[in-house]
Amino acid sequence: MVQVKRLADKVAVVTGASSGIGKAIALRFGEEGARVVVAARRYELCQTVAAQIREGGGEAWAQRVDVTDEEQVEALIDQAVAQYGKLDILVNNAGIAGGGHIAKTSTAAFDRVLNTNLRGTFFCCRAGIRHMIRHGGGTIINMSSVAGVDAWAGTGTYSASKHGIMGLTKALADEARAHQIRVCAICPGGVADELVDASPEEIDQSGKISPFDIAETAIYLATLGPHAIVHRIIVDRLGAEW
Ligand code: NDP
């Protein structure tokens, strides 16, 4: 039986695709037939992910980008469109943890997290939506967090950045719908990857979600029918209290 590739003919850019959730999304998008731009700062890791997609019969190329630099973000989107002629799916996944209890959080730590998670997502959304408006459609998926809909002691900085992403997502979704563009957010709980491992005090290590569950969620959002939108989707750990 011929397997239908759900993202055939789609062009996708995934930021933060050198590891973790973004890598899982890039790999699964490639398997589903999308032409994938694998973007992050660690270019060699992006190249490895792109090579993995090509070895599986897909099409991908690696692009170095620092999402805190608006010129690099503009260049990322321009080059993707120049290479493949369009941009159908943009996954703004690049992000970092950081902060801790607010009384002990330095201004530098706060700025670092906000610059990457919120300002970086803003740069990517702005560059992506401009191309999608010209092209007449597309899907933008912003990687938020359960910390984008709730907050706990010790997560103030990160949570503020992810709540900011939720506001950005909601406003952009409203601006974009007249152009047949969907803008949505995924809000994962604790996912088994490097970010979790970097913050052992803040995030429970047990019963983690697979990054491939988040990748499936991204495919679901990107393959909804033309008249449907899911504004946000929370993918929590089965063992989490809610
Ligand atoms: P990882 O650390 O594995 O991935 C983060 C990715 O972001 C890396 O590919 C990193 O690549 C990239 N990145 C970080 N800073 C920048 C930057 N300035 N420019 C470009 N790329 C950057 O962690 P996760 O996979 O867990 O995180 C992915 C996203 O998921 C994040 O937005 C995170 O907040 C969110 N999330 C994660 C959860 C979890 O439990 N893991 C839960 C909820 C949300 P490089 O260093 O090569 O630039």
Side-chain angles (χ1 to χ4, degrees):
M1 201 174 72
V2 180
Q3 188 90 24
V4 177
K5 292 192 186 274
R6 289 179 289 172
L7 298 176
D9 301 325
K10 300 293 184 195
V11 174
V13 171
V14 183
T15 70
S18 59
S19 64
I21 295 170
K23 179 177 175 178
I25 293 172
L27 291 173
R28 285 292 295 119
F29 274 21
E31 284 171 4
E32 290 292 349
R35 287 166 280 172
V36 187
V37 180
V38 179
R41 292 168 303 179
R42 290 171 293 172
Y43 181 62
E44 297 73 23
L45 292 182
C46 293
Q47 281 183 310
T48 305
V49 175
Q52 219 174 316
I53 292 170
R54 287 194 294 267
E55 279 158 23
E59 190 171 336
W61 60 282
Q63 176 71 42
R64 189 189 180 283
V65 71
D66 182 339
V67 297
T68 66
D69 182 327
E70 63 183 301
E71 285 179 11
Q72 289 187 33
V73 171
E74 293 288 334
L76 168 70
I77 302 300
D78 285 347
Q79 282 163 19
V81 173
Q83 174 87 2
Y84 292 130
K86 59 176 183 161
L87 172 63
D88 298 299
I89 308 164
L90 171 61
V91 182
N92 299 319
N93 165 77
I96 57 172
H101 283 258
I102 291 165
K104 294 181 182 166
T105 299
S106 69
T107 306
F110 183 84
D111 286 348
R112 200 161 43 243
V113 173
L114 270 289
N115 276 341
T116 302
N117 295 3
L118 184 54
R119 205 155 169 266
T121 300
F122 162 69
F123 288 154
C124 293
C125 282
R126 188 178 59 185
I129 199 84
R130 286 174 177 163
H131 279 282
M132 286 182 180
I133 287 172
R134 258 177 258 139
H135 179 68
T139 300
I140 296 178
I141 299 170
N142 291 330
M143 197 57 64
S144 181
S145 167
V146 289
V149 290
D150 209 340
W152 303 267
T155 67
T157 299
Y158 182 73
S159 187
S161 74
K162 294 298 186 179
H163 273 74
I165 287 174
M166 297 307 285
L168 200 63
T169 303
K170 203 165 180 182
L172 190 62
D174 197 28
E175 293 168 13
R177 62 199 165 99
H179 304 278
Q180 286 75 51
I181 300 165
R182 278 189 287 253
V183 186
C184 37
I186 303 179
C187 306
V191 178
D193 56 31
E194 292 91 328
L195 185 72
V196 173
D197 295 340
S199 323
E201 327 83 356
E202 290 176 16
I203 303 171
D204 184 357
Q205 295 286 309
S206 61
K208 296 174 196 167
I209 301 162
S210 163
F212 289 98
D213 289 325
I214 308 304
E216 286 308 315
T217 308
I219 292 169
Y220 163 72
L221 292 173
T223 55
L224 284 167
H227 304 298
I229 182 166
V230 173
H231 291 287
R232 69 178 195 192
I233 191 158
I234 298 171
V235 186
D236 211 346
R237 288 179 301 110
L238 186 58
E241 284 178 25
W242 54 281

